[in-house]
Amino acid sequence: MANILTTETVTKRFGGLTAVNTLSIEIPEKSIYSVIGPNGAGKTTFFNCITGFYKPEEGEIVFNGRSILGLSSDQINHRGISRTYQNIRLFSNLTAIENLLVGQHPLMKATLFGPIFGTAATKREEKAALEESLRLLNFIGLAKKGDLLARNLPYGDQRRLEIGRALASKPKMLLLDEPTAGMNPNETEEMTKFIRHLRDELGITILLIEHDMRVVMGISEKITVLDYGEKIAEGTPKDIQGNQRVIEAYLGRGTAGQVNH
Amino acid sequence: MEQENTTSWWRKAIQSGVIGGIIAILAGLIGMIESFHARDIIAGRISMGETLLLLIVIGFAYSSSRNEQLPISTRVTSGVITGVVTSLMIVLFLMLGAAVNLRSIFVNASPALYKILTLEIANTSLAYIAIIVIGAVVSLAASLVHAATPFWKRIISSGFAIVLLLALLQDLIRISLTPFPFITSVLSWMFGRRGQEGLSILGAIVVFLIVAGAIYNDAKNGAARRARREALPEAAKRTRRWVNWGLLGLFLLIWPQIAGPVLSDVTNSVGLYILMGLGLNIVVGYAGLLDLGYVAFYALGAFTMGVLTTTGGEIFFDVRWTFWEALPFAVIVAVLAGIMLGIPVLKIRGDYLAIITLGFGEIIRIMFLSDFLKPYFGGSFGIVSIASPTIGGIVLDSPQTLYYVILAACFVALFVAHRLRDSRIGRAWKAIREDEDVAQAMGINLTATKLLAFATGAAFGGLSGAIFAAKLSTVYPHSFTLITSINVLALIIVGGMGSLPGVIVGGLLLAGLPELLREFSEYRLLIFGILLIVMMLNKPEGFVPEAVHKREFHEDENLSHAAGG
Ligand SMILES: Nc1ncnc2c1ncn2[C@@H]1O[C@H](COP(=O)(O)OP(=O)(O)O)[C@@H](O)[C@H]1O
Ligand SMILES: [Mg+2]
């Protein structure tokens, strides 16, 4: 299978701290790929490099055969990468539907004059966008909650809505930053199923950051382990489970319990 | 915890009483009480100055008895303590004033103020007792409101608020009723006698009873009536809506005839503020870009109109276009300025943006004031004899005719703002307001979207300024100070950020009331300041908050609506 995203020796520094250090990974198309590692390992920073929020000091990022290095995050979204955040960042004073409509922004065309004059094209586009939002709402299991403000939704729903918003731009690849953070085992189980369902149903590639090893082992096809910004291991869940360096990395930070499930 | 609550409630009550007293005394020392005393709320009985004092006592007593964890008797006691302490503070102030001549420090500590505060009772000890008794009774009443059911609370608060509002606006009501002598004579008992302001006692009671009756009726039959209205067929509902809008439209069309020239002029000022408010609301309310230099666009629109319709200062630009020819250019100049301001500040956020835009507003004003550009813009003398708009040979140069130009402009702006609100761009603006980084990660081009906000907002400002120039037929740089930007911002905040009805309500309150009540205009900034602080603490979303647009369950109705508007 072809690789949809490859990074080569990506390096990101904050002053003297190297948050991501010469990281090279290859993500096959339509796979579920996980990046794990203890807190502060540089996982989120790596996401921010891919989505254009940070520009890495060194390295190259190629998506779908073309370099996306140096593009702004809206341009990268247009190329087909969408993301969620470790600490949920919804548009909290907009309704769930409005969040999904904003997600469709890059697919829509209207600017000032279409809406002002109410042209047929704008009306059609708006109608289609609303229908798509309702469909997405159903897909993420939030039917009948579309008119609630995002901030009034329960935590689990907010997580799902954030994924729905990311899906709304019809991305080729979805970046999920700790989607089960703060969830109880039941919700975690449900979210895991949902992520697999996403890939199977929509055929999009998923790059997953996880802290919780159980989640990762269950659904990932391939895993990269980071520690202090560096890749310390790479392979299938089986390879990772037995890897001595990984266990040490987690033990060193006092979270050994999460290694063995 | 429990212990603390029970032991310290009276300390808190005394504390808020002291604060209330200080505020009441300050209101006197800055001359507010005396100035407000000139206007009656209840003709010949209660002046606006006395009302202000009463409201201070009521406000502090009410809030000091708000703690719901305490039993009601304790709450009432606490409210009364606050009221009595407030009154005591006033008495102390009067005693101090009798002993020392405060006037050498505070100009407003005048015999007139003492006379108001002592309730015009000559015997001082009797006056002091009266003040404390009144404070106790009023605060008792205010605290007892907490014991009332929501229904009674509504009657009391709405009843008094509407009586107060009617009394304040009685000038406006009387003037607008003058074309209808029949109604005036029928309603004459409601108001004070000629020369007196305010409602008569009977009038106040009747107004209160009418409000109470309406609330009672609503509580009893309101739900049923709403249900019946909901149950009407779609076509009938639509007709009803059209009839309501039609009546409102008709009223707006005949308003200058009812209002007369003076009130029409006030209305026009309010209209221009609403127009600016609608523009700034796009920048600040929708897109969340704090712009403190909005007056720059108003100035640019006004000066463009001035330059293009006159000989323009001393030399050069001898264009002498008509109002209508110049209008689009005034808007275009403002839009270009909006984009020019937008480009350098794209990467700047929050407080820094506010400072830079503030500077921009001042630069534009100083530019028009400069000697260097005096040949074009006339320096501090400005530009005179600016053209009035004409329609079919009729010159619209009176407040009553210019009103229609402003009304039309407001409607265009309202329509545009309404249409944009739920469009792709409007949502992108709101997304940027909520979280700029996430908005960009969702594929929103920040540069283009922010520039569109600045440009659209500037267009309304320029339009408003152009009409303003024609309205006065002169423009001076001094008309375009920071205070205008702040007024417009304040009206959006008071109305409710991002809310269109909020802009209208804010405009009526903040631009209209000070014009109607000359006592207010002197303390305009103080009142704005207090109003803003109270709003931020108690109702940060504004008087008419931005409505949550329901889409999921009104799908059919809203599909056409959302796309069309
Ligand atoms: N904007 C920033 N400025 C400075 N240091 C940062 C910044 N963002 C992250 N870091 C640092 O980079 C390291 C990696 O952080 P992060 O990528 O958030 O880790 P993870 O997501 O794996 O927990 C941490 O030491 C963190 O403190
Ligand atoms: Mg992280």
Side-chain angles (χ1 to χ4, degrees):
Chain A
M1 234 187 307
N3 291 328
I4 190 162
L5 183 93
T6 52
T7 71
E8 281 165 34
T9 62
V10 166
T11 302
K12 176 70 202 169
R13 296 187 191 95
F14 296 112
L17 175 88
T18 308
V20 177
N21 197 353
T22 56
L23 184 57
S24 304
I25 63 169
E26 294 179 345
I27 301 175
E29 208 169 341
K30 297 196 169 63
S31 62
I32 297 181
Y33 193 109
S34 293
V35 176
I36 63 170
N39 251 331
K43 307 179 296 288
T44 300
T45 305
F46 182 53
F47 258 32
N48 284 332
C49 289
I50 298 174
T51 54
F53 188 69
Y54 294 142
K55 186 165 190 274
E57 276 82 27
E58 282 162 39
E60 173 66 288
I61 303 173
V62 175
F63 178 70
N64 229 4
R66 290 158 75 198
S67 170
I68 55 168
L69 197 72
L71 297 185
S72 61
S73 49
D74 52 313
Q75 286 167 322
I76 289 174
N77 180 291
H78 280 256
R79 292 283 179 88
I81 299 181
S82 205
R83 70 170 294 181
T84 65
Y85 295 84
Q86 183 174 349
N87 40 349
I88 304 171
R89 288 172 78 172
L90 286 164
F91 303 122
S92 47
N93 292 309
L94 304 188
T95 64
I97 286 189
E98 280 171 326
N99 272 275
L100 297 174
L101 286 169
V102 172
Q104 294 176 62
H105 182 94
L107 303 179
M108 296 171 74
K109 291 195 176 61
T111 52
L112 281 185
F113 294 106
I116 291 175
F117 295 113
T119 59
T122 304
K123 281 187 184 165
R124 222 177 306 125
E125 180 183 77
E126 197 68 24
K127 183 168 185 271
L130 183 53
E131 276 164 6
E132 171 68 10
S133 303
L134 294 172
R135 201 189 59 74
L136 272 169
L137 209 57
N138 235 341
F139 182 75
I140 56 176
L142 260 73
K144 297 196 170 31
K145 293 184 183 170
D147 288 332
L148 294 179
L149 292 183
R151 67 178 143 89
N152 293 339
L153 289 171
Y155 185 82
D157 286 350
Q158 292 196 6
R159 282 259 172 235
R160 283 160 173 273
L161 180 59
E162 209 190 19
I163 295 177
R165 182 181 66 181
L167 290 173
S169 59
K170 299 211 178 344
K172 297 189 186 73
M173 184 164 149
L174 189 62
L175 273 53
L176 302 174
D177 196 343
E178 303 204 17
T180 64
M183 287 186 167
N184 65 31
N186 265 342
E187 291 170 323
T188 302
E189 171 78 32
E190 222 175 286
M191 179 55 81
T192 315
K193 267 191 210 145
F194 181 63
I195 293 171
R196 193 178 296 122
H197 177 70
L198 274 182
R199 194 270 308 270
D200 297 346
E201 199 91 330
L202 306 176
I204 46 184
T205 315
I206 287 172
L207 176 56
L208 182 71
I209 289 183
E210 257 304 340
H211 196 80
D212 187 339
M213 295 273 267
R214 276 160 299 191
V215 175
V216 174
M217 295 305 161
I219 59 172
S220 327
E221 269 112 49
K222 214 174 162 194
I223 298 172
T224 284
V225 188
L226 291 189
D227 194 23
Y228 293 113
E230 273 181 78
K231 175 153 76 180
I232 56 167
E234 183 180 41
T236 60
K238 252 203 162 130
D239 303 336
I240 299 302
Q241 247 165 329
N243 188 306
Q244 200 52 40
R245 277 194 78 185
V246 177
I247 294 166
E248 274 168 22
Y250 269 81
L251 275 176
R253 309 287 166 89
T255 41
Q258 292 181 325
V259 179
N260 326 297
H261 45 136
Chain B
M1 195 69 217
E2 194 71 1
Q3 193 68 24
E4 196 181 323
N5 262 343
T6 46
T7 54
S8 65
W9 62 265
W10 52 268
R11 201 174 299 164
K12 280 191 194 138
I14 293 176
Q15 248 169 30
S16 41
V18 170
I19 297 173
I22 291 173
I23 286 178
I25 293 165
L26 277 181
L29 289 179
I30 60 171
M32 212 161 162
I33 304 270
E34 200 184 329
S35 151
F36 279 19
H37 192 60
R39 180 185 289 270
D40 274 357
I41 293 292
I42 304 296
R45 303 278 168 176
I46 303 178
S47 75
M48 196 160 92
E50 287 155 355
T51 310
L52 180 62
L53 286 171
L54 286 178
L55 283 178
I56 292 172
V57 176
I58 290 172
F60 278 88
Y62 184 83
S63 70
S64 103
S65 54
R66 199 151 55 178
N67 188 350
E68 277 169 20
Q69 275 143 27
L70 299 174
I72 186 71
S73 56
T74 315
R75 290 168 69 186
V76 171
T77 319
S78 136
V80 173
I81 290 179
T82 303
V84 170
V85 170
T86 304
S87 311
L88 268 175
M89 295 281 294
I90 295 175
V91 168
L92 280 178
F93 168 75
L94 287 170
M95 286 167 142
L96 183 70
V100 224
N101 181 14
L102 288 174
R103 206 153 186 208
S104 50
I105 311 169
F106 300 104
V107 218
N108 288 307
S110 62
L113 175 64
Y114 295 133
K115 210 171 145 195
I116 301 167
L117 290 181
T118 51
L119 313 160
E120 304 188 14
I121 298 172
N123 180 334
T124 42
S125 32
L126 206 63
Y128 296 163
I129 293 170
I131 293 172
I132 293 172
V133 169
I134 292 179
V137 170
V138 168
S139 53
L140 176 67
S143 331
L144 279 175
V145 171
H146 289 297
T149 60
F151 168 71
W152 283 103
K153 265 188 199 165
R154 225 176 114 202
I155 287 193
I156 293 167
S157 58
S158 311
F160 279 111
I162 288 177
V163 167
L164 190 61
L165 194 71
L166 275 184
L168 286 175
L169 296 180
Q170 58 89 31
D171 275 348
L172 176 79
I173 297 166
R174 279 191 193 177
I175 295 175
S176 38
L177 286 179
T178 33
F180 313 103
F182 174 69
I183 301 181
T184 314
S185 64
V186 168
L187 291 181
S188 62
W189 52 266
M190 258 183 72
F191 301 103
R193 269 169 280 107
R194 192 156 295 285
Q196 277 183 326
E197 283 156 328
L199 297 174
S200 65
I201 297 181
L202 183 63
I205 292 174
V206 170
V207 169
F208 191 94
L209 288 180
I210 291 175
V211 173
I215 290 173
Y216 174 75
N217 185 33
D218 184 63
K220 208 171 159 213
N221 309 322
R225 197 172 46 236
R226 269 188 292 277
R228 229 177 305 129
R229 208 177 311 152
E230 266 315 294
L232 282 177
E234 202 45 49
K237 268 194 222 167
R238 203 164 303 141
T239 323
R240 270 188 89 105
R241 263 204 300 274
W242 279 111
V243 169
N244 287 343
W245 285 114
L247 286 177
L248 179 66
L250 193 69
F251 174 75
L252 287 176
L253 281 180
I254 60 171
W255 169 245
Q257 265 45 58
I258 301 173
V262 179
L263 267 188
S264 295
D265 200 44
V266 172
T267 314
N268 289 349
S269 303
V270 173
L272 291 179
Y273 263 107
I274 289 179
L275 201 49
M276 281 194 277
L278 288 170
L280 190 61
N281 187 45
I282 289 187
V283 184
V284 183
Y286 287 1
L289 304 163
L290 188 50
D291 183 352
L292 287 183
Y294 190 66
V295 72
F297 308 117
Y298 190 55
L300 283 164
F303 271 93
T304 309
M305 178 56 74
V307 166
L308 292 180
T309 64
T310 64
T311 56
E314 289 160 34
I315 53 163
F316 201 55
F317 288 141
D318 189 358
V319 200
R320 300 198 213 194
W321 282 352
T322 66
F323 173 86
W324 299 112
E325 285 164 347
L327 191 63
F329 286 90
V331 174
I332 289 168
V333 167
V335 166
L336 291 179
I339 294 171
M340 267 169 51
L341 165 70
I343 290 172
V345 302
L346 278 173
K347 294 257 182 300
I348 295 164
R349 296 182 189 195
D351 316 351
Y352 297 101
L353 180 65
I355 302 289
I356 289 186
T357 51
L358 188 150
F360 177 74
E362 285 298 282
I363 288 171
I364 295 287
R365 184 177 65 83
I366 291 166
M367 181 188 87
F368 285 127
L369 197 56
S370 72
D371 282 341
F372 177 63
L373 294 171
K374 197 173 177 186
Y376 315 115
F377 303 123
S380 59
F381 297 106
I383 299 175
V384 294
S385 60
I386 296 165
S388 292
T390 53
I391 292 180
I394 306 166
V395 185
L396 309 176
D397 55 356
S398 70
Q400 278 163 296
T401 48
L402 205 60
Y403 166 86
Y404 293 102
V405 178
I406 294 172
L407 183 67
C410 282
F411 260 95
V412 170
L414 203 55
F415 181 79
V416 169
H418 173 72
R419 280 279 170 104
L420 289 178
R421 185 181 54 194
D422 293 308
S423 72
R424 171 175 177 262
I425 289 300
R427 285 189 299 264
W429 284 334
K430 288 190 249 179
I432 290 178
R433 176 188 75 192
E434 295 290 310
D435 192 329
E436 195 170 320
D437 297 328
V438 178
Q440 190 178 21
M442 292 304 124
I444 291 170
N445 181 332
L446 294 185
T447 310
T449 311
K450 285 186 180 181
L451 284 184
L452 276 179
F454 276 120
T456 316
F460 293 174
L463 179 65
S464 186
I467 301 173
F468 174 71
K471 172 175 176 265
L472 291 187
S473 87
T474 51
V475 285
Y476 307 106
H478 297 300
S479 315
F480 307 104
T481 53
L482 177 62
I483 287 297
T484 309
S485 298
I486 291 177
N487 285 345
V488 180
L489 190 64
L491 80 84
I492 301 179
I493 294 173
V494 168
M497 285 272 192
S499 150
L500 295 178
V503 173
I504 297 171
V505 170
L508 289 173
L509 272 180
L510 265 57
L513 273 188
E515 299 271 351
L516 289 175
L517 303 168
R518 55 193 180 282
E519 297 88 352
F520 273 15
S521 55
E522 207 177 318
Y523 300 98
R524 188 180 181 137
L525 287 176
L526 179 72
I527 294 174
F528 276 20
I530 293 171
L531 193 62
L532 284 179
I533 292 172
V534 172
M535 294 285 305
M536 287 300 116
L537 291 176
N538 291 315
K539 214 166 158 35
E541 69 282 8
F543 271 123
V544 197
E546 188 183 7
V548 175
H549 192 154
K550 303 257 186 252
R551 288 188 178 80
E552 195 172 6
F553 297 115
H554 306 270
E555 211 178 317
D556 298 324
E557 192 188 325
N558 273 313
L559 277 179
S560 58
H561 184 68

